[in-house]
Amino acid sequence: MIEINIDAPDIADIKARLGQFSKRAHVVRYRAINRTLNSTKTDIAKQVNLRYLINQKTVKESLTTIKATSKNPTAFIKSKGTPIALTNFGDGRAKAVTPMKIRKKLKNGKYSPAIYEARVLRNSSFIGIKRMFYAKGQMLQRPENATREENNNIRNWLRLSLSVPQMIKNETIYSEIKNRSMQNLRQRVEHEIEYELGRLQR
């Protein structure tokens, strides 16, 4: 799980800028936070999709939100999710694994395919993965230095996967989301102050 907070802006500054309408500061604050919350939720899906071969719908389905109120001026976005199988990466236009077929032993003793290639990053090259097999609808990897008995028991094989929270935790993605969220919050506060002053001064 990962949690992103939309922190409350300075209420004293909002009150000062509202002047005689300073009682509306709490409304301005929580409304700006909640609108930032919605845009940040969309941005999370977009940023993850830009880096990883995963569609935005999958990212959004992992997200839950807690809105701010006048008494509790902090909003949260939480991402929970189990690891997504490597075979479920890709977005229709770009594959994550190739080839997608069961490995077979040929008469000459070699295997087909000789090796599977995979990727999870968008616009990246395929990388050959040693000891990887396609089985039970997903990609599995035999443990390194395993005994023959362990290799023969598929239950001991590693499931190659990655969860949405792990993707969001990527340093580049997380930093970009936080920076864009803070910038958007400042803009929303400006907009809400202008709206309130325009409405109340009529």
Side-chain angles (χ1 to χ4, degrees), residues 43-99:
D43 193 45
I44 289 171
K46 179 181 177 182
Q47 295 302 322
V48 171
N49 174 262
L50 285 172
R51 185 171 178 84
Y52 291 96
L53 281 168
I54 199 77
N55 60 55
Q56 295 191 34
K57 181 181 178 183
T58 301
V59 179
K60 287 181 179 179
E61 287 174 349
S62 82
L63 304 176
T64 57
T65 59
I66 299 175
K67 292 187 174 183
T69 64
S70 58
K71 293 182 179 180
N72 183 21
T74 304
F76 303 91
I77 301 175
K78 295 182 180 181
S79 175
K80 292 182 179 180
T82 55
I84 300 167
L86 190 59
T87 49
N88 291 335
F89 277 77
D91 58 7
R93 296 172 298 171
K95 295 180 180 179
V97 178
T98 185

Side-chain angles (χ1 to χ4, degrees), residues 103-106 108-115 133 142:
R103 177 171 287 181
K104 294 182 179 179
K105 190 172 185 179
L106 305 177
N108 61 9
K110 295 183 179 181
Y111 286 91
S112 177
I115 192 168
F133 289 85
R142 290 187 288 105

